[in-house]
Amino acid sequence: MATLGGAVIAIAGTVLADRLRTRQEQGRGLGALRREVYIDFISAAGTAHTRLRELAQDPHPSLDREAASRAALADARIYEVRERLFIDAAAPVAAAGQAMFEQLRALRRAVAAGALLSQPRFHDVYHPYIASVWDYRVAVRDELEGRSLSPGVFGWADWDGRERCSLCRTGGSAGTERRPFSSSA
């Protein structure tokens, strides 16, 4: 009887150890999957953002800004990656990603309406977008690594970049042709 009891305990221990190992492997797999989706999402947003900035530097009146700005988001595959984000992300990251996406769409609408990089109306939507990008990064970092990040780490007062933006710092006027900021987010 003692032998049978010992065998049951040994088998139960093996099953428990195997179950714990499987959970850890699944957790690592989910973490890797999420990390990939999180990077894909911010990369797609970055590609769309870069294209929107390029459009905002082109004052040519014959440019179909509506079509070009829509294509900037579609070509970056942001819509596809956003769906993957909603499926695979933890809720706080999905929420931060959706907020970032909404700010990107506001930037797209401003560019479609003719806002140029050197104009305050561009910056009125650009800086909230940049803040939302950082909010997303913070949410991802917190979820994947449990580490916080604040603007002060970089010597900044806020995430939105206005303090580093030459146009916003100097209260630049519409129609100036200088590049509005020196850092990219």
Side-chain angles (χ1 to χ4, degrees):
M1 191 67 160
T3 305
L4 182 60
V8 168
I9 290 173
I11 290 172
T14 301
V15 169
L16 180 61
D18 187 50
R19 184 168 267 187
L20 289 173
R21 186 175 52 254
T22 300
R23 278 189 182 168
Q24 288 174 343
E25 288 170 0
Q26 288 173 339
R28 279 193 298 267
L30 179 60
L33 174 68
R34 285 181 171 172
R35 182 178 298 272
E36 180 183 336
V37 170
Y38 297 168
I39 291 170
D40 287 350
F41 181 73
I42 201 162
S43 295
T47 299
H49 163 247
T50 298
R51 181 64 186 127
L52 290 172
R53 285 180 51 87
E54 289 169 357
L55 291 170
Q57 291 178 35
D58 186 349
H60 201 274
S62 66
L63 177 64
D64 183 350
R65 293 181 181 287
E66 181 65 35
S69 67
R70 286 185 183 279
L73 271 62
D75 293 349
R77 300 180 61 214
I78 189 76
Y79 299 106
E80 174 188 326
V81 179
R82 181 174 152 247
E83 291 304 318
R84 288 181 37 225
L85 183 75
F86 288 158
I87 291 168
D88 294 328
V93 175
Q98 178 61 21
M100 185 174 103
F101 176 76
E102 290 299 327
Q103 292 296 326
L104 181 64
R105 288 181 60 211
L107 182 62
R108 186 212 65 79
R109 286 189 300 272
V111 169
L116 295 176
L117 196 65
S118 59
Q119 297 174 329
R121 66 183 178 141
F122 178 87
H123 290 253
D124 288 345
V125 293
Y126 176 75
H127 291 291
Y129 168 69
I130 293 302
S132 72
V133 169
W134 281 101
D135 289 343
Y136 174 79
R137 289 172 175 156
V138 167
V140 167
R141 187 178 168 101
D142 184 53
E143 195 246 312
L144 291 179
E145 300 173 4
R147 296 183 334 201
S148 66
L149 189 63
S150 70
V153 169
F154 301 101
W156 305 338
D158 205 350
W159 287 126
D160 68 7
R162 287 186 192 275
E163 71 191 58
R164 299 175 307 281
C165 175
S166 62
L167 182 72
C168 295
R169 270 194 337 262
T170 62
S173 61
T176 59
E177 292 304 319
R178 59 194 147 128
R179 269 188 96 87
F181 67 85
S182 60
S183 67
S184 63

